Amino acid sequence: QVQLVESGGGSVQAGGSLRLSCAASGYTYSSNCMGWFRQAPGKEREGVATIYTGGGTGYYADSVKGRFTISRDNAKNTVYLQMDSLKPEDTAMYYCAAQTVYRWTTCNTRSTVDFAYWGQGTQVTVSS
């Protein structure tokens, strides 16, 4: 049974930082695509950043480029999202997700398609 367990969310003031972690178990972690998505109230879920666990290449939404960094620790089957220079518009529930098999087209476009496994979410709140 695949489990994705997120941690690291919380409340922070604008300009602050948070690091999210996603630990995967029961999952073929190597050479696959995992990522972080977020959903604010009344808005659609959007792909924030994804990463190919085999090579470490990351793909980012334009709204977070230069502020967020996705990384992975293959020894721990864990993906991280370092979030710096946070803005109030980053406030959302953040979800970790993983593809069943690696699909480059939906990994690099951060589409929710092909992401079959999801964590329970962790709330990030940024105050101005």
PDB file of all heavy atoms in Angstrom, residues 27-42:
ATOM      1  N   TYR A  27       6.132   2.305  -2.282  1.00  0.00           N
ATOM      2  CA  TYR A  27       6.112   2.947  -3.594  1.00  0.00           C
ATOM      3  C   TYR A  27       7.437   2.726  -4.308  1.00  0.00           C
ATOM      4  O   TYR A  27       8.495   2.733  -3.673  1.00  0.00           O
ATOM      5  CB  TYR A  27       5.871   4.451  -3.405  1.00  0.00           C
ATOM      6  CG  TYR A  27       5.943   5.296  -4.651  1.00  0.00           C
ATOM      7  CD1 TYR A  27       5.026   5.125  -5.680  1.00  0.00           C
ATOM      8  CD2 TYR A  27       6.913   6.285  -4.794  1.00  0.00           C
ATOM      9  CE1 TYR A  27       5.070   5.906  -6.811  1.00  0.00           C
ATOM     10  CE2 TYR A  27       6.970   7.075  -5.924  1.00  0.00           C
ATOM     11  CZ  TYR A  27       6.044   6.878  -6.938  1.00  0.00           C
ATOM     12  OH  TYR A  27       6.093   7.656  -8.060  1.00  0.00           O
ATOM     13  N   THR A  28       7.348   2.544  -5.640  1.00  0.00           N
ATOM     14  CA  THR A  28       8.561   2.426  -6.444  1.00  0.00           C
ATOM     15  C   THR A  28       9.123   3.819  -6.646  1.00  0.00           C
ATOM     16  O   THR A  28       8.803   4.523  -7.608  1.00  0.00           O
ATOM     17  CB  THR A  28       8.256   1.774  -7.803  1.00  0.00           C
ATOM     18  OG1 THR A  28       7.641   0.495  -7.579  1.00  0.00           O
ATOM     19  CG2 THR A  28       9.543   1.576  -8.599  1.00  0.00           C
ATOM     20  N   TYR A  29       9.957   4.224  -5.708  1.00  0.00           N
ATOM     21  CA  TYR A  29      10.395   5.613  -5.632  1.00  0.00           C
ATOM     22  C   TYR A  29      11.388   5.983  -6.731  1.00  0.00           C
ATOM     23  O   TYR A  29      11.340   7.085  -7.274  1.00  0.00           O
ATOM     24  CB  TYR A  29      11.022   5.839  -4.249  1.00  0.00           C
ATOM     25  CG  TYR A  29      11.646   7.181  -4.036  1.00  0.00           C
ATOM     26  CD1 TYR A  29      10.907   8.239  -3.542  1.00  0.00           C
ATOM     27  CD2 TYR A  29      12.992   7.391  -4.324  1.00  0.00           C
ATOM     28  CE1 TYR A  29      11.478   9.481  -3.335  1.00  0.00           C
ATOM     29  CE2 TYR A  29      13.576   8.620  -4.133  1.00  0.00           C
ATOM     30  CZ  TYR A  29      12.815   9.671  -3.627  1.00  0.00           C
ATOM     31  OH  TYR A  29      13.381  10.882  -3.436  1.00  0.00           O
ATOM     32  N   SER A  30      12.286   5.086  -7.043  1.00  0.00           N
ATOM     33  CA  SER A  30      13.363   5.440  -7.969  1.00  0.00           C
ATOM     34  C   SER A  30      12.836   5.608  -9.379  1.00  0.00           C
ATOM     35  O   SER A  30      11.888   4.933  -9.785  1.00  0.00           O
ATOM     36  CB  SER A  30      14.452   4.368  -7.943  1.00  0.00           C
ATOM     37  OG  SER A  30      13.917   3.134  -8.351  1.00  0.00           O
ATOM     38  N   SER A  31      13.450   6.536 -10.124  1.00  0.00           N
ATOM     39  CA  SER A  31      13.122   6.800 -11.532  1.00  0.00           C
ATOM     40  C   SER A  31      11.631   7.018 -11.729  1.00  0.00           C
ATOM     41  O   SER A  31      10.988   6.407 -12.595  1.00  0.00           O
ATOM     42  CB  SER A  31      13.602   5.636 -12.416  1.00  0.00           C
ATOM     43  OG  SER A  31      14.995   5.486 -12.306  1.00  0.00           O
ATOM     44  N   ASN A  32      11.074   7.892 -10.945  1.00  0.00           N
ATOM     45  CA  ASN A  32       9.660   8.200 -11.053  1.00  0.00           C
ATOM     46  C   ASN A  32       9.473   9.704 -10.852  1.00  0.00           C
ATOM     47  O   ASN A  32      10.449  10.432 -10.692  1.00  0.00           O
ATOM     48  CB  ASN A  32       8.858   7.398 -10.025  1.00  0.00           C
ATOM     49  CG  ASN A  32       7.520   6.941 -10.610  1.00  0.00           C
ATOM     50  OD1 ASN A  32       6.869   7.696 -11.343  1.00  0.00           O
ATOM     51  ND2 ASN A  32       7.116   5.733 -10.294  1.00  0.00           N
ATOM     52  N   CYS A  33       8.253  10.138 -10.876  1.00  0.00           N
ATOM     53  CA  CYS A  33       7.978  11.557 -10.731  1.00  0.00           C
ATOM     54  C   CYS A  33       7.133  11.795  -9.487  1.00  0.00           C
ATOM     55  O   CYS A  33       6.093  11.156  -9.316  1.00  0.00           O
ATOM     56  CB  CYS A  33       7.262  12.101 -11.965  1.00  0.00           C
ATOM     57  SG  CYS A  33       6.939  13.872 -11.882  1.00  0.00           S
ATOM     58  N   MET A  34       7.596  12.699  -8.656  1.00  0.00           N
ATOM     59  CA  MET A  34       6.824  13.120  -7.485  1.00  0.00           C
ATOM     60  C   MET A  34       6.742  14.629  -7.503  1.00  0.00           C
ATOM     61  O   MET A  34       7.538  15.297  -8.169  1.00  0.00           O
ATOM     62  CB  MET A  34       7.496  12.630  -6.193  1.00  0.00           C
ATOM     63  CG  MET A  34       7.501  11.122  -6.049  1.00  0.00           C
ATOM     64  SD  MET A  34       8.224  10.574  -4.482  1.00  0.00           S
ATOM     65  CE  MET A  34       7.018  11.188  -3.294  1.00  0.00           C
ATOM     66  N   GLY A  35       5.780  15.154  -6.775  1.00  0.00           N
ATOM     67  CA  GLY A  35       5.647  16.593  -6.823  1.00  0.00           C
ATOM     68  C   GLY A  35       4.791  17.151  -5.718  1.00  0.00           C
ATOM     69  O   GLY A  35       4.226  16.420  -4.897  1.00  0.00           O
ATOM     70  N   TRP A  36       4.730  18.461  -5.718  1.00  0.00           N
ATOM     71  CA  TRP A  36       3.923  19.207  -4.769  1.00  0.00           C
ATOM     72  C   TRP A  36       2.871  20.003  -5.531  1.00  0.00           C
ATOM     73  O   TRP A  36       3.191  20.687  -6.512  1.00  0.00           O
ATOM     74  CB  TRP A  36       4.797  20.151  -3.950  1.00  0.00           C
ATOM     75  CG  TRP A  36       5.693  19.444  -2.996  1.00  0.00           C
ATOM     76  CD1 TRP A  36       6.986  19.069  -3.198  1.00  0.00           C
ATOM     77  CD2 TRP A  36       5.352  18.993  -1.679  1.00  0.00           C
ATOM     78  NE1 TRP A  36       7.467  18.419  -2.102  1.00  0.00           N
ATOM     79  CE2 TRP A  36       6.482  18.361  -1.151  1.00  0.00           C
ATOM     80  CE3 TRP A  36       4.194  19.078  -0.900  1.00  0.00           C
ATOM     81  CZ2 TRP A  36       6.511  17.807   0.132  1.00  0.00           C
ATOM     82  CZ3 TRP A  36       4.212  18.532   0.371  1.00  0.00           C
ATOM     83  CH2 TRP A  36       5.358  17.907   0.875  1.00  0.00           C
ATOM     84  N   PHE A  37       1.646  19.886  -5.050  1.00  0.00           N
ATOM     85  CA  PHE A  37       0.532  20.621  -5.611  1.00  0.00           C
ATOM     86  C   PHE A  37      -0.110  21.417  -4.491  1.00  0.00           C
ATOM     87  O   PHE A  37       0.057  21.088  -3.316  1.00  0.00           O
ATOM     88  CB  PHE A  37      -0.483  19.626  -6.211  1.00  0.00           C
ATOM     89  CG  PHE A  37       0.067  18.834  -7.371  1.00  0.00           C
ATOM     90  CD1 PHE A  37       0.934  17.775  -7.155  1.00  0.00           C
ATOM     91  CD2 PHE A  37      -0.268  19.161  -8.663  1.00  0.00           C
ATOM     92  CE1 PHE A  37       1.467  17.046  -8.223  1.00  0.00           C
ATOM     93  CE2 PHE A  37       0.246  18.436  -9.743  1.00  0.00           C
ATOM     94  CZ  PHE A  37       1.111  17.389  -9.512  1.00  0.00           C
ATOM     95  N   ARG A  38      -0.844  22.449  -4.842  1.00  0.00           N
ATOM     96  CA  ARG A  38      -1.515  23.220  -3.812  1.00  0.00           C
ATOM     97  C   ARG A  38      -2.912  23.607  -4.277  1.00  0.00           C
ATOM     98  O   ARG A  38      -3.180  23.710  -5.464  1.00  0.00           O
ATOM     99  CB  ARG A  38      -0.710  24.467  -3.442  1.00  0.00           C
ATOM    100  CG  ARG A  38      -0.617  25.514  -4.533  1.00  0.00           C
ATOM    101  CD  ARG A  38       0.331  26.639  -4.100  1.00  0.00           C
ATOM    102  NE  ARG A  38       0.451  27.680  -5.128  1.00  0.00           N
ATOM    103  CZ  ARG A  38       1.309  28.694  -5.054  1.00  0.00           C
ATOM    104  NH1 ARG A  38       2.122  28.814  -4.011  1.00  0.00           N
ATOM    105  NH2 ARG A  38       1.340  29.588  -6.019  1.00  0.00           N
ATOM    106  N   GLN A  39      -3.754  23.816  -3.290  1.00  0.00           N
ATOM    107  CA  GLN A  39      -5.117  24.223  -3.578  1.00  0.00           C
ATOM    108  C   GLN A  39      -5.579  25.219  -2.530  1.00  0.00           C
ATOM    109  O   GLN A  39      -5.596  24.904  -1.333  1.00  0.00           O
ATOM    110  CB  GLN A  39      -6.058  23.017  -3.613  1.00  0.00           C
ATOM    111  CG  GLN A  39      -7.445  23.343  -4.110  1.00  0.00           C
ATOM    112  CD  GLN A  39      -8.236  22.106  -4.458  1.00  0.00           C
ATOM    113  OE1 GLN A  39      -7.938  20.996  -4.024  1.00  0.00           O
ATOM    114  NE2 GLN A  39      -9.264  22.271  -5.274  1.00  0.00           N
ATOM    115  N   ALA A  40      -5.924  26.400  -2.997  1.00  0.00           N
ATOM    116  CA  ALA A  40      -6.477  27.434  -2.126  1.00  0.00           C
ATOM    117  C   ALA A  40      -7.999  27.365  -2.187  1.00  0.00           C
ATOM    118  O   ALA A  40      -8.551  26.872  -3.176  1.00  0.00           O
ATOM    119  CB  ALA A  40      -5.975  28.801  -2.562  1.00  0.00           C
ATOM    120  N   PRO A  41      -8.686  27.865  -1.177  1.00  0.00           N
ATOM    121  CA  PRO A  41     -10.157  27.822  -1.182  1.00  0.00           C
ATOM    122  C   PRO A  41     -10.729  28.487  -2.425  1.00  0.00           C
ATOM    123  O   PRO A  41     -10.340  29.600  -2.789  1.00  0.00           O
ATOM    124  CB  PRO A  41     -10.521  28.600   0.090  1.00  0.00           C
ATOM    125  CG  PRO A  41      -9.349  28.422   0.983  1.00  0.00           C
ATOM    126  CD  PRO A  41      -8.157  28.418   0.083  1.00  0.00           C
ATOM    127  N   GLY A  42     -11.631  27.779  -3.085  1.00  0.00           N
ATOM    128  CA  GLY A  42     -12.280  28.323  -4.258  1.00  0.00           C
ATOM    129  C   GLY A  42     -11.452  28.281  -5.521  1.00  0.00           C
ATOM    130  O   GLY A  42     -11.874  28.790  -6.562  1.00  0.00           O
TER     131      GLY A  42
END
